[in-house]
Amino acid sequence: MVDLKCNADFCLIPMGTESPSVSNYIAEVQVLMHGSGLKYSMHSAGTTVEGPWDQVMELIGKAHELMHKLGVQRVQTDVRIGTRVDKKQSFEDKVTAVEKILKE
Amino acid sequence: MVDLKCNADFCLIPMGTESPSVSNYIAEVQVLMHGSGLKYSMHSAGTTVEGPWDQVMELIGKAHELMHKLGVQRVQTDVRIGTRVDKKQSFEDKVTAVEKILKE
Amino acid sequence: MVDLKCNADFCLIPMGTESPSVSNYIAEVQVLMHGSGLKYSMHSAGTTVEGPWDQVMELIGKAHELMHKLGVQRVQTDVRIGTRVDKKQSFEDKVTAVEKILKE
Amino acid sequence: MVDLKCNADFCLIPMGTESPSVSNYIAEVQVLMHGSGLKYSMHSAGTTVEGPWDQVMELIGKAHELMHKLGVQRVQTDVRIGTRVDKKQSFEDKVTAVEKILKE
């Protein structure tokens, strides 16, 4: 067990699909995210999620499992994971901090 | 010269800074982005930008140069770059495509 | 629990360290990897490890915990994770497959 | 023009291919790397290359162009790029530095 909260931003890529369009698969992942109870946000280059390390990593693993259940034979995901112990910071706070500086 | 349009999502990390907080640096990068003329969007885990390959990559390089000018001795960036030739797709269209499926 | 084997390649970055050199920290991570029992390989841009999803992700989390114990206040890691269900493939097999094609 | 040397480690993923196996495509990228004159090294999770920023980024773009010429309609690449101004460091030196600490 890992005793840390984290922010993770992941970009999941189904491989060996017939079509280069993967929005159907990403929509399925979003349904999974919605059911997870964790705070998340989708953007054009990935999905950001925050929570306890183990839950976040299991959720991304569940997304891989889901892809395989849907017939995808190979899945490649890039994840950017951040942890910090100097302060609590939600992923939204990071954008707010930069915007505040830009306004000053 | 690379004759491709691309979407790039980059997460830039100044290394060897005294403080773990880097929002001041990220704000400087946002000013650079704003002056570039390229379409971009900041989120909590990076900045997405789209345009001709060479311009996008030069811009990210300029961000590294800027960090070094500000005294940062080492910079590490993770970039997710996508190109596609089957259709034109702005980074916003990717989110719209998924949201449309979710509504159906 | 995630019932998948995976290959993961991670690049861990301690943030807010006084020095831009982080090889001391990376050496500590290698000691952790060595003790894990999982198959791994360090290269100049990261460390590749393979095994059951949960064990691999916990190990990367333990690396974050270790950094924080050593006084690093913020850690950012980029991970590339691959799973496939069409065949078993060790990370070494991937290089061998490409080299075999290059020789033909 | 960007006046920096960099280390870049990239993992290129052809999307919408019929097969989940992409070693044929990666072999083509290796031929391209070989002809570039830049120093590079393939590993199981990507290819590391070093050189002037513009040349390195153009080379990765050429890899995308090559994929599209081979019929791949969409390509997604994850790149980890590092620049530092405190010292010259080849990508091999990074591994050596860690191994030296581990021996001590």
Side-chain angles (χ1 to χ4, degrees):
Chain A
M1 202 214 145
V2 177
D3 188 23
L4 281 173
K5 294 234 170 188
C6 71
N7 283 312
D9 184 72
F10 68 99
C11 172
L12 180 154
I13 301 173
M15 293 176 71
T17 57
E18 270 177 61
S19 161
S21 291
V22 295
S23 42
N24 276 310
Y25 294 110
I26 302 308
E28 296 285 349
V29 173
Q30 296 309 308
V31 174
L32 179 74
M33 301 305 291
H34 186 70
S36 73
L38 294 180
K39 193 165 133 188
Y40 72 99
S41 172
M42 180 181 64
H43 56 90
S44 71
T47 299
T48 307
V49 54
E50 70 182 44
W53 181 285
D54 297 329
Q55 285 182 41
V56 167
M57 295 310 137
E58 184 178 31
L59 184 55
I60 298 173
K62 291 291 176 196
H64 274 241
E65 282 188 340
L66 176 59
M67 293 298 101
H68 292 310
K69 271 180 207 160
L70 294 170
V72 180
Q73 296 198 294
R74 188 175 186 178
V75 183
Q76 183 76 21
T77 294
D78 180 61
V79 196
R80 298 169 185 156
I81 315 168
T83 59
R84 62 192 302 178
V85 293
D86 58 329
K87 63 172 175 177
K88 285 196 184 183
Q89 189 185 46
S90 173
F91 62 76
E92 292 148 347
D93 301 336
K94 293 166 73 177
V95 173
T96 311
V98 174
E99 285 173 346
K100 198 184 155 199
I101 295 165
L102 288 171
K103 273 174 198 156
E104 281 166 12
Chain B
M1 201 214 146
V2 177
D3 188 23
L4 281 173
K5 295 234 169 184
C6 71
N7 284 312
D9 184 72
F10 67 100
C11 171
L12 181 153
I13 300 172
M15 293 176 70
T17 57
E18 268 176 65
S19 162
S21 290
V22 295
S23 43
N24 276 310
Y25 294 111
I26 302 307
E28 296 285 348
V29 172
Q30 296 308 308
V31 173
L32 180 74
M33 300 306 291
H34 185 70
S36 73
L38 293 181
K39 193 163 133 188
Y40 71 100
S41 172
M42 180 180 62
H43 56 90
S44 72
T47 298
T48 308
V49 54
E50 70 182 44
W53 182 283
D54 296 329
Q55 286 182 42
V56 167
M57 295 309 137
E58 186 178 31
L59 184 55
I60 297 173
K62 291 290 176 198
H64 274 242
E65 282 188 340
L66 176 59
M67 293 299 100
H68 293 310
K69 271 179 207 160
L70 294 171
V72 180
Q73 296 198 292
R74 188 174 186 179
V75 183
Q76 183 76 20
T77 294
D78 180 61
V79 197
R80 297 169 185 157
I81 316 168
T83 59
R84 61 191 303 178
V85 293
D86 59 329
K87 64 171 176 177
K88 287 196 184 182
Q89 189 186 46
S90 173
F91 63 75
E92 292 148 346
D93 301 336
K94 293 165 73 177
V95 173
T96 312
V98 173
E99 285 174 345
K100 198 184 155 199
I101 295 165
L102 288 171
K103 274 172 198 157
E104 284 167 8
Chain C
M1 202 214 146
V2 177
D3 187 23
L4 280 173
K5 294 234 169 185
C6 71
N7 284 311
D9 183 73
F10 68 98
C11 172
L12 180 152
I13 301 172
M15 293 176 71
T17 56
E18 269 176 62
S19 161
S21 291
V22 295
S23 42
N24 276 310
Y25 294 110
I26 302 307
E28 295 285 349
V29 173
Q30 296 308 308
V31 174
L32 180 74
M33 300 305 291
H34 185 70
S36 73
L38 294 180
K39 193 164 133 189
Y40 72 99
S41 172
M42 181 180 62
H43 56 90
S44 71
T47 298
T48 307
V49 54
E50 71 182 43
W53 181 284
D54 296 328
Q55 286 182 41
V56 168
M57 295 309 137
E58 185 178 30
L59 184 55
I60 299 174
K62 291 291 177 197
H64 274 243
E65 281 187 341
L66 177 59
M67 293 298 102
H68 292 310
K69 271 180 208 160
L70 293 171
V72 180
Q73 297 198 291
R74 189 175 186 179
V75 182
Q76 183 77 20
T77 294
D78 181 60
V79 197
R80 298 169 184 157
I81 316 168
T83 59
R84 61 191 305 178
V85 292
D86 59 330
K87 63 172 175 177
K88 286 196 184 182
Q89 188 185 47
S90 174
F91 62 76
E92 293 148 347
D93 301 335
K94 293 165 73 178
V95 173
T96 312
V98 173
E99 285 174 346
K100 198 184 154 199
I101 295 165
L102 288 172
K103 273 174 199 156
E104 283 168 9
Chain D
M1 202 215 146
V2 177
D3 188 23
L4 280 174
K5 295 233 169 187
C6 71
N7 284 311
D9 183 72
F10 69 98
C11 171
L12 180 152
I13 301 172
M15 294 176 70
T17 57
E18 269 176 63
S19 161
S21 290
V22 295
S23 42
N24 276 309
Y25 294 111
I26 303 309
E28 296 284 348
V29 172
Q30 296 308 309
V31 174
L32 179 75
M33 300 305 292
H34 186 71
S36 73
L38 294 180
K39 193 164 133 189
Y40 72 99
S41 172
M42 181 180 62
H43 56 90
S44 73
T47 298
T48 308
V49 54
E50 70 182 43
W53 182 284
D54 296 328
Q55 285 182 40
V56 167
M57 296 308 138
E58 186 178 29
L59 184 55
I60 298 173
K62 291 292 176 196
H64 274 241
E65 282 188 340
L66 176 60
M67 292 298 101
H68 292 311
K69 271 179 206 160
L70 293 171
V72 180
Q73 297 198 293
R74 189 175 186 178
V75 183
Q76 183 76 21
T77 294
D78 180 61
V79 196
R80 298 169 184 157
I81 315 169
T83 60
R84 61 191 303 178
V85 293
D86 59 329
K87 64 171 175 178
K88 285 195 185 182
Q89 190 185 46
S90 173
F91 63 75
E92 292 149 347
D93 301 336
K94 292 165 74 177
V95 173
T96 312
V98 174
E99 284 174 346
K100 198 184 155 201
I101 295 164
L102 287 172
K103 273 173 199 157
E104 281 165 12

